[in-house]
Amino acid sequence: MKMLITIPVALAVAVAGAQTTNQNQVRHVETSLNHLTVLEFGEAVSTIAVADTDSFRVERHDDKVFIEPLRERVATNLFIWTESRQLTYELDPAGQLASMDVLIRAEPAPKAHPVATGSAEPSAAEIRKMASLVLAQAMMGVEDVSRDGYKPIPDHVQVDLEQVYRAKDQLYIRYSIINQTKEPFRLTTPDVSAPLPTQLPISLLSLRNHQISTQTFDSFKVKPGSNFPVGQAESLDRDLAPGQKTTGVLSIGSPPGNPPQLLQLNFGSDQGKPLSVEAVL
């Protein structure tokens, strides 16, 4: 599981008001927006798993786990493995500052029997369960990309943007590409940019999740904008024979709030001309 970025909030805890918990209970954690709750275990934290990373920012440091809620009215669960135990927490919806947990200390781990051996690492079954949970969360957030009035051009390489998934700071785009020419085609890592419209004949919000035509794109009278570094680019096949089709996924950084933006994706060259598609995502 990917570790999250450092939380840019000042850390201040009052030891006198610390709570305690043990590994035999599901501990409810009360949080508040723009404030940190700290879990302290007295031993190194080896693994963390949180179901909803869009609504809670969770990060581990040595024997501590920092929690910051990002949205209101959302709850999720949190699993933590240390060197000797596994603990389960329920992160309640962000509430009032006066009722939040500032510091929660876990009770010391019981002393192990001299001949007993154990592992703090999650089992294969636990890893499968976490992976299934993450996959389910992702599938529930997938949105289809429409192509209104789209007509494929014969004897060209065709690119269709099919689905988009918005994570906290990443945009994942699933696409398909088919080689309708009589020559082989090699798929390379796409270039992604955000052209800046100088005119808005159509609201970008109304075009959200649309792959647009060349005519619609030209109506925005764009000027060059910023380029997006491609974080990941995977495809089933890179070399396409005539008539062959493949599917790929790429990810780019997304600004806070995921506002609709005009994007241009360049997949290389088709018969000497740029193979580009435009969309509002």
Side-chain angles (χ1 to χ4, degrees):
M1 179 167 289
K2 180 176 68 177
M3 201 49 53
L4 304 177
I5 60 174
T6 302
I7 301 173
V9 180
L11 174 62
V13 297
V15 175
Q19 304 278 339
T20 61
T21 188
N22 60 56
Q23 64 179 348
N24 295 320
Q25 68 182 108
V26 177
R27 173 67 160 84
H28 284 258
V29 180
E30 301 290 339
T31 63
S32 183
L33 289 176
N34 302 317
H35 289 75
L36 282 180
T37 292
V38 182
L39 310 181
E40 187 175 64
F41 301 94
E43 60 179 334
V45 175
S46 58
T47 307
I48 61 175
V50 60
D52 189 351
T53 57
D54 289 341
S55 301
F56 288 86
R57 182 176 294 160
V58 181
E59 180 182 328
R60 65 172 181 172
H61 279 289
D62 299 327
D63 67 336
K64 299 177 180 64
V65 171
F66 301 153
I67 303 169
E68 181 192 9
L70 303 176
R71 297 177 181 174
E72 297 180 312
R73 300 186 295 277
V74 179
T76 192
N77 56 342
L78 169 67
F79 300 92
I80 297 177
W81 286 265
T82 68
E83 293 180 343
S84 63
R85 54 194 159 154
Q86 182 262 315
L87 300 100
T88 304
Y89 296 87
E90 179 70 17
L91 305 184
D92 292 337
Q96 298 297 318
L97 180 61
S99 61
M100 71 167 287
D101 292 316
V102 179
L103 173 62
I104 299 176
R105 283 201 176 106
E107 294 178 355
K111 293 183 178 180
H113 191 274
V115 298
T117 59
S119 173
E121 294 298 322
S123 66
E126 290 169 330
I127 292 174
R128 286 195 299 269
K129 184 177 180 180
M130 287 187 291
S132 177
L133 181 60
V134 171
L135 179 60
Q137 292 283 338
M139 292 183 68
M140 287 189 292
V142 168
E143 302 172 75
D144 291 333
V145 177
S146 301
R147 294 178 295 278
D148 293 342
Y150 178 77
K151 294 182 180 180
I153 303 175
D155 301 323
H156 282 74
V157 178
Q158 177 183 329
V159 179
D160 292 328
L161 307 185
E162 297 184 340
Q163 292 178 320
V164 61
Y165 173 72
R166 294 174 173 86
K168 178 173 60 66
D169 57 356
Q170 291 286 309
L171 193 68
Y172 294 86
I173 304 169
R174 182 178 182 269
Y175 62 89
S176 66
I177 184 167
I178 182 170
N179 181 9
Q180 300 180 127
T181 72
K182 297 180 181 180
E183 301 293 333
F185 177 79
R186 163 156 285 198
L187 177 62
T188 59
T189 300
D191 295 322
V192 183
S193 62
L196 300 175
T198 62
Q199 298 182 18
L200 288 175
I202 308 173
S203 165
L204 291 182
L205 186 59
S206 68
L207 288 176
R208 189 183 183 99
N209 294 348
H210 276 70
Q211 180 175 333
I212 61 177
S213 66
T214 301
Q215 291 78 7
T216 301
F217 177 71
D218 291 342
S219 69
F220 287 103
K221 306 295 183 183
V222 301
K223 62 181 180 180
S226 58
N227 293 323
F228 284 90
V230 175
Q232 290 180 307
E234 304 290 340
S235 61
L236 295 178
D237 299 286
R238 292 187 59 194
D239 294 301
L240 301 182
Q244 187 177 356
K245 181 179 180 179
T246 191
T247 299
V249 176
L250 63 90
S251 68
I252 59 174
S254 179
N258 290 308
Q261 54 188 338
L262 185 62
L263 297 178
Q264 186 173 56
L265 299 87
N266 190 324
F267 288 82
S269 176
D270 176 20
Q271 302 181 33
K273 297 181 179 181
L275 178 58
S276 298
V277 295
E278 292 79 31
V280 178
L281 301 176

